[in-house]
Amino acid sequence: MLKIENLHVDVDGTPILKGIDLEVRAGEVHAIMGPNGSGKSTLANVLTGRDGYEVTQGKISYRDRDLFALSTEERAREGIFLAFQYPVEIPGVSNLYLLKAALNSKRKHLGLGELSAVEFLKLIKEKVKLVQMKEEFLHRSVNQGFSGGEKKRNEILQLAVLEPLLAILDETDSGLDIDALKIVAHGVNSLRDAERAIIVVTHYQRLLDYIVPDYVHVLANGRVVKSGDKELALELEKHGYTQLVQSSGEGAARSAGA
Amino acid sequence: MTSPANDLDRLVGREYKEGFVTEIDAETLPPGLNEDVVRAISEKKREPAFMLEWRLQAYRHWLTMREPRWAQVQYSPIDYQAISYYSAPKQTPGPKSLEEVDPKLLETYEKLGIPLEEQKALAGVAVDAVFDSVSVKTTFRNTLAEAGVIFCSISEALQEHPELVRRYLGSVVPQGDNFYAALNSAVFSDGSFVYIPKGVRCPMELSTYFRINAMNTGQFERTLIIADEGSYVSYLEGCTAPMRDENQLHAAVVELIALENAQIKYSTVQNWYPGDELGRGGIYNFVTKRGACRGHRSKISWTQVETGSAITWKYPSVLLEGDGSVGEFYSVALTNNRQQADTGTKMIHIGKNTASTIISKGISAGHGQNTYRGLVKVLSGSDNARNYSQCDSLLLGDRCGAHTFPYVEVKNPTARVEHEATTSKISDDQLFYCRQRGLSEEDAVSMIVNGFCKEVFRELPMEFAVEAQKLLDVSLEGAVG
C-alpha cells in the first residue's frame, strides 16, 4: 500500500529525515517510535503533504501511485488520514458540518453520491457511540473549548466516519488518561481489517498494549535504526532509546566523515 | 415660481450620449444640479407642493454643507455637477401586468436571478423592484392590502397617502442631517414605502431589489417604513450592479419608525460592483440608515451583509426613545482587492431600560481596508441602559487592514456598556487541517469565513442566509492561494 524509499526531507534547509525506507502493506499496523526530534512527526506531515517540508531525495508510492503527485486534499480523498497531535480549532464551524463536508468531498471524489441528511445523521449517531461521545459534541464548534482528551476522541470520530485506507495516528496517546486511551484504541481497532493499514506514531509503549502492532520501527536522527515486532516496543520501554540513538549518531558521524 | 415644464421637456428630450447597458429608452436629465433640477424632478413625479418645498429646503441646506472627510476611506473628489440626477425607464404609464413591462427589463432581472414572477408567490416574498429610479412593478399588493399593509413606491405613496409621508418623512433623518442625506432629500427619485397598521403582523417578508444601471446616474433612493403600534414587519433589501468603469455615487436614506410594541427587522445583502483588482470602477455607497424606536417596548433590528461597493460609508443606527425599547445591529462587512469599508452603527439610548446589541464581523482580504466605527451613547435620562458590543476582525493575507473605532458616551451612572473586540487570521494550521480532511483550499476558506460570520447569518431570513454565504464565496474568489 505504502512504500517509502530512501526518503530525505529538509525543513528550513536542515536535514530532518536522512534516508527512510519503509513498506506498509494492507492489513498491517506499524508503530513508529523514537525520542523527541527524531523526525516522527515530520514523516507524518510529509505523508499528508503539509507545506514547509522539502523532499530532497527518495520517493513514496501509495497504492502504486506517486504520492508527491497528489495534493493534500487528493491524498485525503484517496484514503490517507492523519489524526493530529494538536487538533485545530475552527470557531463557528460545527463538528457536524466539517464531518459532512469531509465525507461528501471524499464520496464525490470516489464517484459516490453525497449522503442525504437522514443517511448522514444515521451514520454519525453510530460512530458517536463508538467513541463514547455525547451527541451535543456534534453541534459544538470544531475542537473549540474541548479538553485535550475530547480533541483526541474527536480525531478518532473523524477517523471512524471517513474510514481511511491508511490511518496515521500522530501521538494520539499524549495527554490521554487510561479510560480515554481505551476508547481511542477501541475506535482504531474497530477499523482494523485486511483492506486497511495503520501507522501509529508514539513515544510510549503504553498505547501499543491496546493497539497491538505487527511491526515496530525506531526512528532516531532521521533514520530507522531498528525494526522488529511488538517485542521491540517492550524492550524499548525497559531500556530507553539512549543506546539506539547513540549508535545511530555515531553512524551518522561516520558517514559524514567518509 | 415658474413651472419649468418646457425646460423639463427640453432637458429630458436631449439625446443621452452613452446609451444604456440595458438598452431601454430612458428619460435622463443631463448632468448637473441646481434648483431647476430639483423642481424638474418634483414636477416629473407630480408631487404635492409640500414635497417640492421640502426638497428645496434640503437643497439649500446642502449648498451650505461640506462633504465629510472623517471616514477611513480614500477616493478622488466627486464632481456633483457631472452627475445626472434623474433617469427613468420610459414606459406607458402604469403597467398593469408583466406583459406590459419592457421585456428587456425583465431579461435583466432574469440575468440577476431575481424571480419577479410567480415563483415569488411560492417563496412568499413580495418584491418592489426599483430599476434605476422608478418602481417598475409591485407584486402582491392585494394580499398585503387585505392585511391593511401599504407597500408601494414612495412616489405612489406621495400620491395616495401624502399625509403619512408628510408626517414621517425626515422625522428620523432630517433634511440637513448630513451632506449625503441632504443631497438625497433634495433629489431622491424613488424608493419604497411601507406602513403596517396597528396590531398587524405583516403576512410576508417584504423585499426590494435595487439595481444601478444607467451610466452616471447617481441613485438616491428613499425608503420609509412605519410600523404602527403592536405591528411586526421583516424587510429585505438586496442589491447587485453590472460591471462598469466609472465610479458611481449612491446616497440612499432609509428611515424606520417603530411605535409602541412594534418590531421592525431590516435585512440587507449588498453586492454592488466593487471595482476591479486595481480598484478601478465600483460604487461609492454613502448611505444614511436610521430607525427610531419611538414607542415603549418597540424593537428595531438591522442585519447587513456588505460585500460590494468600492467604498462603503454606512452606519445603520437606532434611536432608543421609548422606554424598554431594543436596538440591534448585526453586520458582516467584507473587503477584498482595493475595497474600503467604514461601517458600524450608532445606538442612542434615550428612554429608560433600553437595550442594544452590536455584533460586527469585518473580513479583509487582498488590499481591502475594513473599519468598524460605532457609537454607543447613553443620555442622562436613560436609566438602566444596557449595551453589548462585539467587534471581530478576520484577516486573509498580510496586505489588508482592519480598524476599530468604538466611541462610548455615557451620561447616566446606571448604564452598563460592554465592548469586546478580537482580530484573527485564518491560520495555515486551520487550512491544512481542513485539507487533510479532503476539503479544497477554497472550500476550507469559505467554511472558516462562514463560521466566523455565523452569529450574523443566523439573524438573516433563511433564503437570504443562503444567498449571503454564496456571496461571500464569490467575493473571496482569488483571495487565497
Side-chain angles (χ1 to χ4, degrees), chain B residues 191-204:
Chain B
S192 297
F193 177 84
V194 178
Y195 173 79
I196 316 289
K198 277 183 196 175
V200 169
R201 188 180 171 88
C202 186
M204 59 180 78

Side-chain angles (χ1 to χ4, degrees), chain B residues 289-318:
Chain B
K289 288 186 169 178
R290 195 175 303 155
C293 283
R294 211 149 271 177
H296 296 324
R297 294 169 304 279
S298 56
K299 179 177 173 183
I300 288 178
S301 180
W302 297 103
T303 306
Q304 61 173 22
V305 177
E306 301 278 329
T307 64
S309 298
I311 297 173
T312 301
W313 181 100
K314 181 180 173 187
Y315 314 90
S317 305
V318 184

Side-chain angles (χ1 to χ4, degrees), chain B residues 67-85:
Chain B
E67 217 175 318
R69 283 281 168 209
W70 44 261
Q72 180 101 347
V73 294
Q74 287 168 348
Y75 55 93
S76 23
I78 298 167
D79 181 357
Y80 291 92
Q81 296 302 334
I83 295 169
S84 167
Y85 288 87

Side-chain angles (χ1 to χ4, degrees), chain B residues 339-415:
Chain B
Q339 278 179 278
Q340 309 172 65
D342 193 308
T343 184
T345 183
K346 288 189 274 186
M347 293 290 174
I348 315 296
H349 293 258
I350 301 161
K352 294 176 176 51
N353 302 311
T354 48
S356 60
T357 303
I358 299 170
I359 308 285
S360 164
K361 304 278 182 177
I363 303 158
S364 315
H367 289 89
Q369 293 296 325
N370 212 319
T371 301
Y372 168 80
R373 189 183 301 278
L375 169 67
V376 176
K377 191 169 181 172
V378 179
L379 301 190
S380 59
S382 178
D383 294 337
N384 302 315
R386 281 176 295 135
N387 163 265
Y388 174 73
S389 302
Q390 184 190 328
C391 304
D392 298 325
S393 305
L394 185 68
L395 303 173
L396 281 79
D398 49 16
R399 291 162 302 168
C400 51
H403 318 270
T404 304
F405 298 99
Y407 304 86
V408 178
E409 285 175 39
V410 177
K411 303 237 166 69
N412 184 309
T414 61

